[in-house]
Amino acid sequence: QKEVEQDPGPLSVPEGAIVSLNCTYSNSAFQYFMWYRQYSRKGPELLMYTYSSGNKEDGRFTAQVDKSSKYISLFIRDSQPSDSATYLCAMSSNTGNQFYFGTGTSLTVIP
Amino acid sequence: DVKVTQSSRYLVKRTGEKVFLECVQDMDHENMFWYRQDPGLGLRLIYFSYDVKMKEKGDIPEGYSVSREKKERFSLILESASTNQTSMYLCASSSGELGEKLFFGSGTQLSVL
């Protein structure tokens, strides 16, 4: 079983839709959760960072962590064509210098 | 703003060549990482370094070596490039503190012919 599971998609939505991206994980020691946005042929850009459980909002983006279910989500409101990218989830624990990644979900927002 | 700079965006090399990929960070970070990214396989850790001259093997170190002579610079070396090393290579850094964030460079797309 992989440490982090993420549906690869692809996901295609019309402009203005609410997008929900999700990851599940198996290691209960994970405390720090990240979402990255990666445009084609570019490096991942850190989008959201959350510690432990709860929600965090930044503009049109909301990151949600449910540690009891080992489930994290990224919501994008009023999606724009410029949101078309691959979204990676990542997480780490209190020990060591290791980061664990999902394989990424490809999102296309259609104008 | 944090900055991780990779020296090349695109590289084309021939089988058997020695290849150097350079990465520099300007955040005074302790930890630096090299990943490769392949479709369907996601990010895989090649090597990481937690201090100058220190290195640790990641999940797929075979065919690679690294060098960290200065804190800000972390180099990935392909001793004898092979076609199965064609990939996107990503350098990253983190502070080394508890709960650190990981920052990536813009990537190097390497093609080995």
Side-chain angles (χ1 to χ4, degrees), chain A residues 44-58:
Chain A
E45 170 197 6
L46 182 62
L47 200 58
M48 299 289 283
Y49 173 85
T50 312
Y51 167 66
S52 195
S53 283
N55 292 0
K56 182 174 181 180
E57 190 173 319
D58 184 0

Side-chain angles (χ1 to χ4, degrees), chain A residues 2 32 34 36 38 40-46 49 56 86 88 92-104, chain B residues 9-10 31 33 35 37 40-43 45 48 50 59 88 90 94 96 98-107 109:
Chain A
K2 286 185 181 178
Y32 308 97
M34 289 149 275
Y36 291 86
Q38 186 176 21
S40 181
R41 299 183 182 276
K42 299 280 182 69
E45 170 197 6
L46 182 62
Y49 173 85
K56 182 174 181 180
T86 296
L88 296 165
S92 65
S93 66
N94 287 336
T95 58
N97 299 307
Q98 291 186 301
F99 295 83
Y100 298 85
F101 296 88
T103 50
Chain B
R9 291 293 310 279
Y10 301 95
N31 299 336
F33 304 79
Y35 294 90
Q37 186 179 35
L41 296 177
L43 285 160
L45 180 64
F48 75 94
Y50 53 90
D59 300 318
M88 169 71 108
L90 292 163
S94 68
L98 188 64
E100 68 269 27
K101 299 175 184 178
L102 186 67
F103 297 95
F104 285 91
S106 54
Q109 181 63 52

